[in-house]
Amino acid sequence: MAVPSFLNWSYVYSSGLGIDDVQDIMDDFATQAASVSWTNPSAGLYQSPADSGGRWMDILLTRTSATILEFRVRDHSGSTVGTRRLQISASAPTTNYNIFIGQCHAVITAHVPNQAAREYLMAFIPDPDPEAASGCTTTYVVMKGYRNTSTATVAQSVYDQWGAIDNGSAAYATRAQVWYNGASQVAWTTLNRGALIALPMGMNINVSGTFRYLGRVPMCLLVSDSVVAIDAELQIPISSTTIGTFKVIGVDSAANYDHYMAMRK
Amino acid sequence: MAVPAFLNTTHRYLSTPGVTDCNTCISDLATELGALSWTESAPGSGLWQSPDDSYGRHFSILIERNAAANFHITTYDQNDLLIYARRIVLDGGGGCEVRYYTGSHHVVVEFQNSGTKQIYAGCMLMMNPEDDSINQNYVVCRGSVTTAGAAAEGINLPNWGMLVNGTPNTAARLTVWGDGSGSAHIPTMPGGTRLYVPAYMAVTHGGVTYACAGVIPQCLMGSRGTAGSAYTVPIDTSTTATFHNSHATAGDRGAYLFWRAD
C-alpha cells in the first residue's frame, strides 16, 4: 500500500515557546510558508502553491494587537471563506505555539502551558481523491478558528462548524465527516488489544444546493480524545513501509464526537 | 493494495422470487450454507455451524419455520451461548423475493416484502489489524422482530445484539460515518462518486468503553442509493464487487448497509 494522497503532500512543522506577541507567530509562519513554496504577494498575505487542479487559497495574517492574531482565508476567486482570531497571553506563563503548513493546509495552535484551552486557526484544501482535483468543485477551501472577529470565543454550536463557500455564500456549517456510535454519538476508541484507531477526516460542502463530500483533510488524522493526550506525538503507519509522526493538537473535529485532530509533523 | 480481509471471506448470493412459505427459506439456506462448508448438526435439524476460520472461530444459527410466514433464526456464539432469537415475516398474498447473502463469516436473509421489509443478519466480526483471536465476543446479530413478534432491532436502527459480559445485549453498535448533524447521510462527491466505508461495531470490552469490536464481513456502509439495487464497488486496485443496497439502514444517521452479492 502506498501513502494515501491526502497524507502525501508537502508539510513542515515549527513551534515556539513563551511568546508574548503574535508577531513571533507571524514571523515564523512567513518562514515556514516560504519553505513549502507559498508566496507572499503583499504584507501579511500568503498564497499557497497551486495543486494539480489549479486549486489554491490565501491567508492574510493581521496583528490586531500584541496578543490577538487575525486570520482571513480566501479561495482562488478572492472570495472570503472566513475570518477568525486567536488570542495569546501577555503575562507569564506566556504562550506556546505550533505551526503546521504545507501545500494544502495551514494550522496555527496556541496555548498557555498547563491550561486546557487550545486556541487555533486553520485552513485546508481537502484532497478529493479519487475524483480529480481539477473541476470537481470551484469551492473547496474550509477553515475554522477559535475566536470571531470581535475576539469572542466561538459558541459551542458554531465551534462544531467549519467555514466554506456554500452554494455561493460563505457559511459556517457542520461539515466534518466523523465516526460515531449511532445512538450515543460516541466514537469507538481503540481495538480490543489497545491498538489506536486513526482515521481520515472528511469534509462536506454545499454544491448547488446539495451537500457533497469534498474530500479528506490533508495531513490530518482523527484519533480518540479518550486515549491520547493533547501534544502527544503518535507514530502511525501510513503505508506498508512508512511511519508518519502526528502531533495531537487538541482540537475536536466536532463537539461531542470524541475525536482530536492530529497533524502530521 | 489487496482485497481487505473483511471482504476476502467466502461468499454466495441467492435470490428466490415468489416465496410464500418459510420452508423455502430453510431449503434455500441449506443449499447455500452447505456449499460454503457449513455443517448441520443432524440432517434436518436446522442447526448450522459455520466453518472454523483460521483462528478456530465459528458461530451457529438455528433456522425454523414457526408458521408459513414466520421464519425464526436463532444465533449462538462459539460456545453455544444464545445471542438472540429473531423472527422475520413474509408478506401474505403472492409471495415475495427472498435474498440470501451468505459466507463463511455471515448470513443475511432479507425479505423484499411489498410492505415492510424484513431482515435477519448474523456474523462474526473481523478484527484486522489485530488478530481475530483477541476478542471472544465476536458474534453479532440483528432481526426485525422477536420470536414473539415484539420490536427488536428492526430495519432502520443501528442496533445489533451481542454478548456483553456474558449477557445478550442489543444496543446501537454500528459505528456510522456522517457529518454529525444527526440526519445527514454519507454524501456523494461533487463529481458523483459514491462513497463506501467499512461497517464497524463498538462494544464495551475489557474495561474499554466503546472499543472497536471489529468490522462486519462482506458488508459496506455507503451513500444512499436505491434500496434493493445493485452497485459495483472497487475493493482493490484491480477488483470490483457487486453489493446490494440493503433496506437496512443505520437509523436516523441515514447510512445504508450494502451486502456482497456476487
Side-chain angles (χ1 to χ4, degrees):
Chain A
M1 187 184 94
V3 176
S5 59
F6 78 101
L7 297 177
N8 208 20
W9 292 350
S10 64
Y11 64 98
V12 66
Y13 166 74
S14 184
S15 63
L17 303 175
I19 65 165
D20 58 7
D21 192 315
V22 296
Q23 188 63 50
D24 293 328
I25 297 176
M26 295 172 67
D27 292 345
D28 197 0
F29 188 94
T31 300
Q32 304 309 322
S35 73
V36 285
S37 302
W38 286 52
T39 56
N40 185 199
S42 60
L45 181 65
Y46 301 91
Q47 180 177 317
S48 70
D51 70 5
S52 61
R55 305 182 310 162
W56 53 269
M57 61 182 169
D58 71 24
I59 294 170
L60 178 65
L61 296 180
T62 303
R63 181 183 179 277
T64 302
S65 71
T67 59
I68 298 172
L69 175 62
E70 187 168 284
F71 184 86
R72 184 204 67 192
V73 180
R74 299 187 306 184
D75 67 14
H76 68 288
S77 67
S79 297
T80 298
V81 177
T83 305
R84 289 296 196 221
R85 293 179 176 178
L86 67 69
Q87 186 170 28
I88 67 169
S89 172
S91 56
T94 48
T95 301
N96 299 340
Y97 71 88
N98 298 294
I99 295 173
F100 307 83
I101 187 168
Q103 177 172 320
C104 291
H105 71 287
V107 176
I108 300 169
T109 69
H111 71 283
V112 173
N114 302 318
Q115 291 187 10
R118 286 297 196 272
E119 305 224 358
Y120 56 85
L121 302 164
M122 57 184 69
F124 296 96
I125 299 175
D127 175 12
D129 180 70
E131 293 194 350
S134 59
C136 58
T137 173
T138 56
T139 52
Y140 46 75
V141 178
V142 296
M143 62 86 64
K144 70 186 298 186
Y146 192 74
R147 296 175 185 271
N148 61 22
T149 51
S150 300
T151 322
T153 55
V154 178
Q156 187 72 8
S157 61
V158 180
Y159 168 78
D160 252 5
Q161 302 176 0
W162 291 68
I165 304 293
D166 265 342
N167 202 18
S169 301
Y172 290 90
T174 304
R175 302 185 187 285
Q177 192 87 2
V178 295
W179 302 78
Y180 52 97
N181 177 284
S184 63
Q185 303 183 355
V186 175
W188 31 252
T189 54
T190 63
L191 292 174
N192 290 270
R193 192 170 278 169
L196 179 69
I197 297 168
L199 294 163
M201 178 166 65
M203 202 59 71
N204 295 324
I205 194 168
N206 186 322
V207 179
S208 302
T210 301
F211 271 87
R212 301 292 189 186
Y213 182 73
L214 195 57
R216 288 169 284 193
V217 169
M219 314 311 286
C220 175
L221 290 171
L222 296 178
V223 292
S224 168
D225 65 5
S226 298
V227 292
V228 298
I230 296 173
D231 287 335
E233 295 192 1
L234 309 173
Q235 304 294 310
I236 299 176
I238 57 175
S239 82
S240 50
T241 57
T242 309
I243 304 292
T245 300
F246 292 78
K247 188 176 183 69
V248 179
I249 63 172
V251 178
D252 283 316
S253 59
N256 304 322
Y257 294 111
D258 285 359
H259 295 111
Y260 273 156
M261 294 171 63
M263 296 300 305
R264 189 164 186 194
K265 60 167 290 211
Chain B
M1 187 181 127
V3 175
F6 75 98
L7 298 177
N8 210 19
T9 57
T10 62
H11 55 90
R12 287 172 62 89
Y13 169 67
L14 174 68
S15 167
T16 301
V19 176
T20 58
D21 191 307
C22 293
N23 271 332
T24 304
C25 303
I26 290 174
S27 60
D28 283 347
L29 273 178
T31 301
E32 294 301 289
L33 297 179
L36 289 159
S37 301
W38 285 58
T39 52
E40 192 173 19
S41 64
S45 68
L47 181 60
W48 289 87
Q49 179 175 310
S50 69
D52 282 359
D53 69 9
S54 58
Y55 297 98
R57 305 186 317 155
H58 62 262
F59 75 115
S60 299
I61 60 170
L62 175 64
I63 53 177
E64 299 173 291
R65 178 187 183 277
N66 173 257
N70 293 344
F71 189 38
H72 287 187
I73 306 180
T74 304
T75 309
Y76 300 93
D77 78 352
Q78 72 279 14
N79 299 312
D80 298 328
L81 295 175
L82 172 67
I83 308 293
Y84 281 115
R86 291 293 182 245
R87 170 188 293 176
I88 51 178
V89 184
L90 283 170
D91 268 354
C96 79
E97 178 193 5
V98 177
R99 295 181 175 183
Y100 308 89
Y101 308 88
T102 53
S104 56
H105 288 61
H106 71 291
V107 175
V108 178
V109 182
E110 192 166 279
F111 288 177
Q112 308 292 308
N113 291 332
S114 57
T116 304
K117 315 304 180 195
Q118 302 266 315
I119 190 170
Y120 162 83
C123 68
M124 295 192 292
L125 300 174
M126 303 189 71
M127 294 299 299
N128 182 274
E130 293 187 345
D131 72 64
D132 286 341
S133 66
I134 180 62
N135 178 12
Q136 292 306 299
N137 296 321
Y138 53 75
V139 180
V140 298
C141 69
R142 73 195 306 267
S144 288
V145 294
T146 69
T147 52
E153 291 76 29
I155 198 164
N156 292 316
L157 289 173
N159 291 19
W160 287 71
M162 70 187 304
L163 291 180
V164 176
N165 296 324
T167 302
N169 176 270
T170 186
R173 305 190 183 287
L174 193 62
T175 302
V176 298
W177 191 58
D179 71 1
S181 66
S183 60
H185 55 283
I186 299 175
T188 56
M189 298 188 73
T193 302
R194 301 173 52 76
L195 301 176
Y196 300 93
V197 295
Y200 291 99
M201 291 281 187
V203 64
T204 299
H205 170 75
V208 178
T209 301
Y210 292 111
C212 180
V215 62
I216 302 173
Q218 303 296 352
C219 179
L220 295 170
M221 282 194 302
S223 305
R224 288 175 193 262
T226 302
S229 295
Y231 293 86
T232 301
V233 182
I235 59 172
D236 186 7
T237 49
S238 58
T239 309
T240 60
T242 301
F243 289 82
H244 281 174
N245 190 150
S246 171
H247 292 273
T249 76
D252 64 352
R253 306 303 166 188
Y256 273 85
L257 297 181
F258 291 71
W259 300 107
R260 184 83 176 264
D262 55 15

